[in-house]
Amino acid sequence: MGYIAKKIIQLILTLMLVSIITFAAFWVVPGDPARIILGPNATAEQVDSLSEELGLDRPISERYLQWLGSALTLNLGQSLSFKTPVNELIAQKLPVTIALSVISLMLTMAVSFPLAMIAARRPGKLTDHVVSVVTHSFFAVPPFVLSIFLTLIFGIGLKWFQVGVFIPHDRDFWGFIGCMIMPSIAIALPKIAMALKFIRSSILSEKEKDYVRTAKSHGLSDADVMRKHILPNALVPVITVFAIISADILGGSLIVEQVFGLPGIGRLLLQGISSRDFPLTEGIIIYLAGMIAIVYFVADILHSLIDPRIRLK
Amino acid sequence: MQTDTVFFESFSRKSTAIRFIVAMMIFFVLTSIFGCRNPAESSAEVSSKDGIRSGGEVIVGITQEPSLFDPHTVVAAGDEEILFNIFEGLVKCTSDGQFVPALATDYTISEDATTYIFNIRTGVKFHNGDTLTPEDVVFSLKRASGLLTGTALKPDLAGIKDVRISGENEVTVEFISPDAEMIPFFTTAIIPESVSDIGSTPIGTGPFVFLEYRVGESVVLGKNNAYWQEGLPYLDKVTFKITAGMDAAFLELQSGSIDIFPYLTADKAEQIKDRYQILSGNTNMVQVLALNNAAEPFNNPLVRQAVNYAIDRQDLSNLIMEGQSTLLTTGMSPAMGDYYDATVDGTITYNPDKAKALLEEAGYPDGFRSTIKVPSNYQIHVDTAIVLADQLARVGIMVDIVSVDWATWLSDVYQGRNYDSTVIALTSEYTPRDVLSRYVSTSEGNFINYFNSDFDSIYSQIQSEISLDERIALYKQLQQLLVSDYASVYLQDPKNIVAVKNEIKGYLVYPIYVQDMSTVYFAE
C-alpha cells in the first residue's frame, strides 16, 4: 500500500473518531435547537412544528448516522439555525480563518528566524538574553489577553485601526488583509517565542558538529557557513515544531476572532455549539481536524524533501 | 566584534531571503497602520432641513444572530427588533406604549367584542412596488391565524373565526368568542400575497427595505423611498452589526465603530458618555428570582415569604443597575400603565429579622442549602444571582450559583422545570394578558409551577369581559394574588440603557424589544 493511501486511511479514521466524540457530546448535553431558535415565549406547538421541519423529531443517533453517510460524500448537511448548507457557511467564513492563520504563520517565521540567528550567534551573551526575555514575556500571555491589550493600545488609544470594523475580502482585498494584521500579531507573538527557542537550540546543536569546523577550515565565511550548512540542517527538527505551531495558530485564531469581532470559523463554531446546531458543529470540527491533519502531512513531505535520508515510509 | 559585523551584513546585503523578510515586516507595519478603516465612513450624501439632515448611515450593534425573517413565525426578541423596521401591521406600537393605526386608518370593535372592522390605508406600497390591497390583509391574517393551513403561526390569533373583505378597503375580522383585547395583536405583519417565500425575501411596507444578511456579520437595511409616512425615514442605510458578544461590542463602542447600542449596563454607559448620549427607558421586563413552587423547600409558602423579605431590592438595583431600574413587588412592571396595580407597591420590604422568624416557623431555624441556576449569557442575571446569594446568606440560606448556557437553561429550567430557583427577565408582548398568562396552572410558560385555582378562574373571566374598567380590576386582582402567594421574588424592571452617538438624534426608546430606525437622523 502506498504511503499516501495509508495516510488518507489514517486521516479518515481520525475524522471518524473526532465526529463520534462530537456526537457523544451532543448526546449528553441538554438543549433543543428548535426551542433555542424560537426562544422561551414560543408555544410547544410552534416548537414542535419547527422541530419537525428541521427533522429533529428523529433520535440523534439516527441523525448522526445519516449525517455520517452524507459526510462521506463530502456533503456536511444543512445547518439547523441558518437553514443553509454547512459547506456554504464554512466556505463563507473560511477566508478569515485562513488569512489569520497564514499571516500569523508568516509573521512567526519572519520574526523568529532572524531573532534566533541573532540569539544563537553568541549564546549566553547580552543579545541572547534580551531576545529570550522579551519573547518569553509574550509567550506567557495568552492570545486573547494580548488581543485585548492590542485593541486598547492601538485601536482605542492610538487609533491605528478601527476596532470591530471588518471588510469582506470580496469587497476590498487589501482592506481585508489590513483588518487581519492586528489579530495576526496577537496570535503570532506567543508563537514567536516558542519557535525561536527551538530554532535557536537547533542551530546551536548544529554549530557544535564537526562539519561546521571542516567548512570553516575550508575558508568559508561565518555567514556562508550559517546560510549554506547550518540552517538547512537545523531546519529538519524545526519543521515538526512549525507543524505543531500551525495547529496551535489555527486554534488560537478561533479565540482571537472573538475579541476582534471577526466573522470567521471560530464565531461560527461558537454559534453552532450554543444553538445546538449539530450538523454545523460536526461539520466545522471535522473541517478543523482535517486541516490540522493536512498540515502534519505537508510537514512530513517537507521533511523528506529537505533531508533525503528520511524516506516516506 | 568583527564577526558580528560580518554576520549582520550578511543579513542586509547578501541574503535575499532576509531582505524579503524585512520587506514583509515593513509591509505588515504599514498595512496595520493604514489597513483597517471603514471605507464608507465619509460617503454620506446629505441634505438639510430644520436642523435635520436627511441621509447618512448608521451602525446599530446587536449581540444576537438573527435566525428568522418570516414575520409570522418569528418569536425571538432579537429578530423582532430588526423586523420592526421592515414589516408593519394594521396597528403599530409607539414609544409610549400606545397602539396606533398604521396600515389601517381606523378601526371599530363591535359591541359584543367578537367583530373587528378595519379600514385599510390606500396608496401604501410594498417594497417590491406592489400596492397594498385588502386581499393582502386577508391573506396575511389568515396565514398568521392558521385559517390557511390549520396551524396558527401566531398562537395569539388562533381565536379568529373568519377574515373577509366587507366593503371598499374594509376588512372584517370575526372571533370565535368575545375578546376585547385583541388590538395589540394586530401588529401582525401584513405581507404581499404574491411573495411565496417571505422568510428568504422579506418584503413588507415598513420604513426600511431588507438588503442583505451576512451570517455572523450584519443585516443591512436601506431606505424605503416610497414609505407612506411623509418625510420618513431620514437615514439611507441602517446596518445591524452582529457583535461577538457584550465585551467585544463594548470595545467597538469605545473606539466609536458602533453608532447605536441598546441594552448596555449602567457602569459601561458611564465610561463612554463623552462620545455618546445615554438614553434610557422602561422595558416592561420583569426580572425575577423565580422559585420553583413545586420543589422543596420552595413549595412551602412560608419559605417563599421568607425569601421575599430577605432580599434588599434597592441594594440590588444600586449594585447592578446603578439605581437605573424600577423596583417590583408583583409580576407586572409599572410600565404597563393603567393595568398595573400600584397598591402592591411597598407591601414587601427588606426585613431580614422577619425572614429569619419565618424560616424558623417553616421548620428551617438554621436555614438551608439551595441552588440558583442562572443563564451565563446574560451578565445581568449572573451578577444579580451573586448579589442575591450574598443577601440570602445573611438569613442563613446558603446558595450555590450554577451557571448554565442558554440552551441548557431553556431545556432544564424552562422546559424541564428541574431547578430550585433561577434568575431571569420575563419579557412579553405589550399586553397585560401576555404578562400574566404564564401563571395559569396549565400554561406552558408556567415554569415556576405556580398554582392557585382562584387565579385560573379570574383569568378565564377576563377574556369575555367587555368593560375595560372591569378587566383592569380583574388584572389587578391577579397581581395581588401573586403577591399574597409569594409566587416568586419580583426584583426589578431594568431600564433599557441605549448609547447613541452625540451627532445622532431622534432615537426613541420603546417599552418593547424593538429598534425603531425611522425617526433617527443626523443633526446639523
Side-chain angles (χ1 to χ4, degrees):
Chain A
M1 209 187 322
Y3 171 79
I4 304 233
K6 210 164 129 187
K7 274 280 165 189
I8 288 173
I9 289 171
Q10 236 175 48
L11 174 68
I12 291 173
L13 287 176
T14 312
L15 295 187
M16 286 272 273
L17 193 68
V18 169
S19 83
I20 290 171
I21 293 170
T22 314
F23 157 70
F26 266 76
W27 202 26
V28 175
V29 175
D32 171 5
R35 171 60 77 178
I36 297 161
I37 292 171
L38 295 173
N41 287 347
T43 63
E45 200 184 336
Q46 285 172 304
V47 174
D48 288 347
S49 104
L50 183 62
S51 290
E52 208 174 304
E53 192 190 321
L54 297 173
L56 298 172
D57 40 353
R58 294 171 301 134
I60 186 164
S61 50
E62 199 185 311
R63 285 188 280 132
Y64 171 68
L65 288 176
Q66 195 205 1
W67 176 86
L68 194 65
S70 74
L72 289 174
T73 65
L74 300 181
N75 172 8
L76 295 175
Q78 175 115 345
S79 156
L80 302 176
S81 41
F82 297 114
K83 297 184 177 161
T84 313
V86 172
N87 281 331
E88 210 174 281
L89 285 171
I90 292 178
Q92 264 177 38
K93 301 300 157 196
L94 208 55
V96 172
T97 306
I98 295 277
L100 271 183
S101 304
V102 169
I103 296 173
S104 329
L105 189 64
M106 279 161 65
L107 269 177
T108 309
M109 290 203 265
V111 178
S112 61
F113 272 102
L115 283 184
M117 285 191 261
I118 293 169
R121 182 69 204 142
R122 298 171 72 195
K125 290 287 155 50
L126 187 66
T127 43
D128 187 22
H129 284 309
V130 170
V131 168
S132 303
V133 168
V134 171
T135 54
H136 276 73
S137 50
F138 285 120
F139 187 50
V141 188
F144 74 92
V145 177
L146 261 179
S147 304
I148 293 172
F149 280 139
L150 289 177
T151 307
L152 287 174
I153 296 169
F154 297 106
I156 292 165
L158 297 172
K159 301 205 184 333
W160 283 11
F161 70 99
Q162 257 185 305
V163 183
V165 167
F166 170 74
I167 301 164
H169 66 100
D170 47 5
R171 247 175 235 163
D172 171 7
F173 181 75
W174 291 109
F176 167 76
I177 296 292
C179 294
M180 298 296 141
I181 299 298
M182 271 297 156
S184 299
I185 292 174
I187 301 167
L189 280 177
K191 302 296 164 233
I192 287 171
M194 190 174 161
L196 179 107
K197 209 170 155 67
F198 275 97
I199 301 167
R200 177 182 165 278
S201 66
S202 185
I203 291 175
L204 284 181
S205 74
E206 287 300 319
K207 266 175 80 179
E208 300 297 312
K209 293 198 173 150
D210 290 346
Y211 73 88
V212 175
R213 201 177 49 222
T214 315
K216 280 190 184 169
S217 67
H218 274 83
L220 276 141
S221 72
D222 274 9
D224 278 347
V225 173
M226 174 64 85
R227 194 157 52 92
K228 290 186 181 149
H229 297 279
I230 298 181
L231 266 185
N233 284 313
L235 223 49
V236 178
V238 168
I239 284 175
T240 314
V241 174
F242 267 96
I244 296 169
I245 288 178
S246 305
D248 245 28
I249 280 178
L250 195 61
S253 72
L254 301 186
I255 296 162
V256 169
E257 273 172 25
Q258 277 303 100
V259 182
F260 283 93
L262 297 174
I265 295 285
R267 271 279 274 294
L268 200 59
L269 179 62
L270 271 185
Q271 178 76 24
I273 294 170
S274 60
S275 60
R276 300 292 188 271
D277 192 333
F278 179 64
L280 182 60
T281 312
E282 274 279 16
I284 294 174
I285 287 178
I286 290 296
Y287 218 90
L288 293 174
M291 290 221 301
I292 289 170
I294 288 167
V295 166
Y296 279 100
F297 181 63
V298 170
D300 276 358
I301 291 181
L302 281 180
H303 252 157
S304 70
L305 288 179
I306 287 178
D307 186 349
R309 287 171 303 177
I310 300 171
R311 284 277 154 261
L312 298 180
K313 292 186 274 287
Chain B
M1 201 63 226
Q2 179 61 24
T3 48
D4 265 348
T5 327
V6 173
F7 185 73
F8 276 109
E9 277 176 353
S10 74
F11 270 116
S12 53
R13 264 194 254 139
K14 290 179 189 166
S15 165
T16 45
I18 285 169
R19 253 184 252 165
F20 168 72
I21 287 167
V22 171
M24 226 168 56
M25 286 169 78
I26 293 170
F27 160 77
F28 279 137
V29 172
L30 287 180
T31 38
S32 69
I33 294 172
F34 301 110
C36 207
R37 306 238 158 218
N38 200 338
E41 212 178 10
S42 57
S43 67
E45 275 292 319
V46 288
S47 62
S48 166
K49 197 177 83 184
D50 308 331
I52 294 174
R53 286 200 302 174
S54 199
E57 57 178 276
V58 150
I59 297 173
V60 184
I62 55 173
T63 50
Q64 284 173 343
E65 185 83 40
S67 47
L68 298 165
F69 290 103
D70 180 338
H72 291 163
T73 54
V74 95
V75 208
D79 294 345
E80 295 204 53
E81 71 179 327
I82 298 171
L83 294 190
F84 186 80
N85 295 289
I86 303 173
F87 294 103
E88 294 175 311
L90 294 174
V91 297
K92 200 168 184 170
C93 184
T94 64
S95 60
D96 48 11
Q98 304 294 312
F99 290 90
V100 296
L103 296 185
T105 49
D106 54 79
Y107 57 83
T108 46
I109 304 173
S110 71
E111 198 80 352
D112 62 352
T114 54
T115 312
Y116 288 58
I117 299 166
F118 294 90
N119 280 313
I120 309 302
R121 193 178 293 278
T122 52
V124 176
K125 289 243 192 290
F126 283 108
H127 298 157
N128 60 1
D130 292 356
T131 305
L132 169 77
T133 62
E135 283 82 3
D136 293 317
V137 175
V138 171
F139 165 76
S140 302
L141 292 178
K142 281 190 167 173
R143 180 177 187 263
S145 63
L147 289 176
L148 281 188
T149 56
T151 37
L153 299 178
K154 286 225 165 249
D156 294 316
L157 296 178
I160 292 181
K161 190 166 85 183
D162 187 32
V163 186
R164 60 174 183 276
I165 298 172
S166 51
E168 198 187 340
N169 292 315
E170 188 186 273
V171 170
T172 297
V173 182
E174 227 179 291
F175 285 86
I176 297 165
S177 51
D179 193 337
E181 287 194 334
M182 286 308 295
I183 280 301
F185 301 105
F186 284 102
T187 50
T188 298
I190 302 303
I191 57 176
E193 192 172 1
S194 56
V195 173
S196 56
D197 185 5
I198 197 77
S200 56
T201 47
I203 286 175
T205 59
F208 289 94
V209 180
F210 174 84
L211 292 183
E212 182 191 32
Y213 166 45
R214 290 174 86 107
V215 170
E217 293 172 37
S218 58
V219 179
V220 183
L221 310 183
K223 181 178 185 169
N224 174 6
N225 288 310
Y227 189 51
W228 58 271
Q229 290 205 53
E230 202 62 43
L232 295 181
Y234 302 110
L235 298 170
D236 286 336
K237 196 168 144 192
V238 175
T239 303
F240 288 91
K241 182 175 188 299
I242 304 153
T243 60
M246 195 62 191
D247 295 325
F250 187 59
L251 286 175
E252 291 173 35
L253 273 173
Q254 283 178 302
S255 81
S257 313
I258 294 177
D259 300 317
I260 297 176
F261 191 79
Y263 300 98
L264 201 58
T265 57
D267 59 322
K268 288 202 162 98
E270 187 65 25
Q271 292 177 49
I272 52 168
K273 67 176 181 196
D274 48 333
R275 203 165 179 177
Y276 291 85
Q277 316 151 62
I278 306 300
L279 311 177
S280 70
N282 278 317
T283 54
N284 189 30
M285 262 194 238
V286 173
Q287 194 198 27
V288 59
L289 168 63
L291 306 174
N292 189 343
N293 285 217
E296 289 267 355
F298 299 118
N299 54 358
N300 184 341
L302 286 170
V303 174
R304 297 201 300 269
Q305 189 182 359
V307 175
N308 261 286
Y309 282 103
I311 300 300
D312 185 348
R313 292 166 174 82
Q314 186 61 56
D315 184 44
L316 174 76
S317 168
N318 292 344
L319 285 168
I320 302 295
M321 296 298 298
E322 315 228 332
Q324 295 255 32
S325 60
T326 309
L327 304 187
L328 300 179
T329 309
T330 187
M332 187 185 278
S333 162
M336 289 301 304
D338 290 344
Y339 293 103
Y340 175 71
D341 183 17
T343 63
V344 301
D345 284 346
T347 51
I348 301 174
T349 49
Y350 176 54
N351 189 341
D353 294 330
K354 186 166 179 178
K356 277 186 202 152
L358 284 163
L359 279 178
E360 195 162 346
E361 194 187 336
Y364 298 97
D366 304 318
F368 56 88
R369 248 201 133 76
S370 183
T371 58
I372 300 182
K373 267 191 196 166
V374 57
S376 58
N377 56 324
Y378 291 107
Q379 192 59 45
I380 174 176
H381 300 326
V382 177
D383 294 347
T384 299
I386 293 167
V387 174
L388 295 181
D390 182 51
Q391 294 183 353
L392 289 170
R394 288 183 220 156
V395 299
I397 302 173
M398 295 301 148
V399 173
D400 299 314
I401 296 169
V402 180
S403 177
V404 295
D405 80 335
W406 182 234
T408 308
W409 189 90
L410 281 172
S411 91
D412 275 9
V413 178
Y414 195 77
Q415 280 182 296
R417 300 184 187 182
N418 174 25
Y419 71 103
D420 295 340
S421 64
T422 184
V423 179
I424 193 71
L426 304 173
T427 57
S428 48
E429 304 260 352
Y430 197 74
T431 71
R433 186 189 301 168
D434 223 42
V435 175
L436 294 167
S437 64
R438 70 170 66 252
Y439 301 101
V440 173
S441 58
T442 52
S443 161
E444 286 169 20
N446 185 4
F447 69 104
I448 69 164
N449 289 311
Y450 175 75
F451 175 71
N452 184 334
S453 52
D454 290 346
F455 191 101
D456 292 358
S457 68
I458 296 173
Y459 183 85
S460 64
Q461 276 177 45
I462 292 177
Q463 193 166 334
S464 53
E465 180 57 60
I466 291 159
S467 150
L468 177 65
D469 290 342
E470 278 301 312
R471 282 205 311 274
I472 287 177
L474 292 171
Y475 278 126
K476 287 185 173 172
Q477 283 182 40
L478 294 182
Q479 295 167 56
Q480 286 157 12
L481 284 177
L482 291 181
V483 176
S484 57
D485 287 337
Y486 302 99
S488 273
V489 187
Y490 297 100
L491 302 170
Q492 54 183 344
D493 176 359
K495 286 236 158 76
N496 174 10
I497 301 173
V498 188
V500 180
K501 272 239 182 90
N502 285 334
E503 61 269 30
I504 296 171
K505 306 287 178 206
Y507 182 90
L508 298 171
V509 185
Y510 276 66
I512 51 173
Y513 204 109
V514 299
Q515 309 298 326
D516 181 2
M517 289 296 125
S518 68
T519 56
V520 174
Y521 62 91
F522 281 91
E524 264 304 277

